[in-house]
Amino acid sequence: HVQLVESGGGSVQAGGSLRLSCAASGYTYNRNCMAWFRQAPGLQREGVATITSDGMTSYADSVKGRFTISKDGPKNTLHLEMAGLKPEDTGMYYCAADGAQYGGRCYPPYRHWGQRTQVTVS
């Protein structure tokens, strides 16, 4: 049974930083793609960042240069470093695992999802 547990969310002022983590049990981090998604109130869930099994990353245009996705295989943990936060980054953040991987890029669907963590930027 795969379980993903996010942590690190919270409230921060614009320009501040947060580090989200996603701890996994029952899942091997070196297999297929992992990703962070977010959903703002009243909006659809959107992809924020992805990372392939061999560490290739991709970012939404809105977060490029500010967010960094990484994974710690031995600790089975996925991270999202967020800097230069803006009010429009506010939302529920989800980690996801076991997405499809082709040609160094990640594609949905993701088989496993975390329970989400709230990020609020004021």
Side-chain angles (χ1 to χ4, degrees):
H1 174 68
V2 175
Q3 186 175 18
L4 304 177
V5 179
E6 296 100 334
S7 61
S11 297
V12 65
Q13 290 188 336
S17 300
L18 284 173
R19 186 191 198 207
L20 304 184
S21 296
C22 175
S25 58
Y27 182 78
T28 302
Y29 267 66
N30 288 331
R31 187 181 78 189
N32 293 335
C33 283
M34 301 192 73
W36 287 97
F37 289 78
R38 68 185 180 189
Q39 186 168 20
L43 299 179
Q44 289 188 334
R45 188 166 58 191
E46 63 174 351
V48 174
T50 65
I51 186 166
T52 66
S53 60
D54 54 0
M56 296 183 67
T57 59
S58 180
Y59 299 91
D61 288 343
S62 59
V63 306
K64 281 181 181 177
R66 300 188 297 122
F67 290 12
T68 303
I69 187 172
S70 62
K71 57 182 178 179
D72 184 341
K75 295 183 180 179
N76 263 10
T77 304
L78 181 72
H79 299 290
L80 185 68
E81 300 276 0
M82 305 185 293
L85 283 162
K86 305 175 181 180
E88 52 263 44
D89 294 317
T90 294
M92 301 300 296
Y93 282 69
Y94 302 78
C95 70
D98 206 7
Q101 178 175 313
Y102 301 105
R105 296 183 65 87
C106 297
Y107 300 90
Y110 289 80
R111 292 185 59 191
H112 308 292
W113 292 84
Q115 89 289 355
R116 69 189 182 183
T117 186
Q118 175 70 43
V119 171
T120 303
V121 185
S122 59

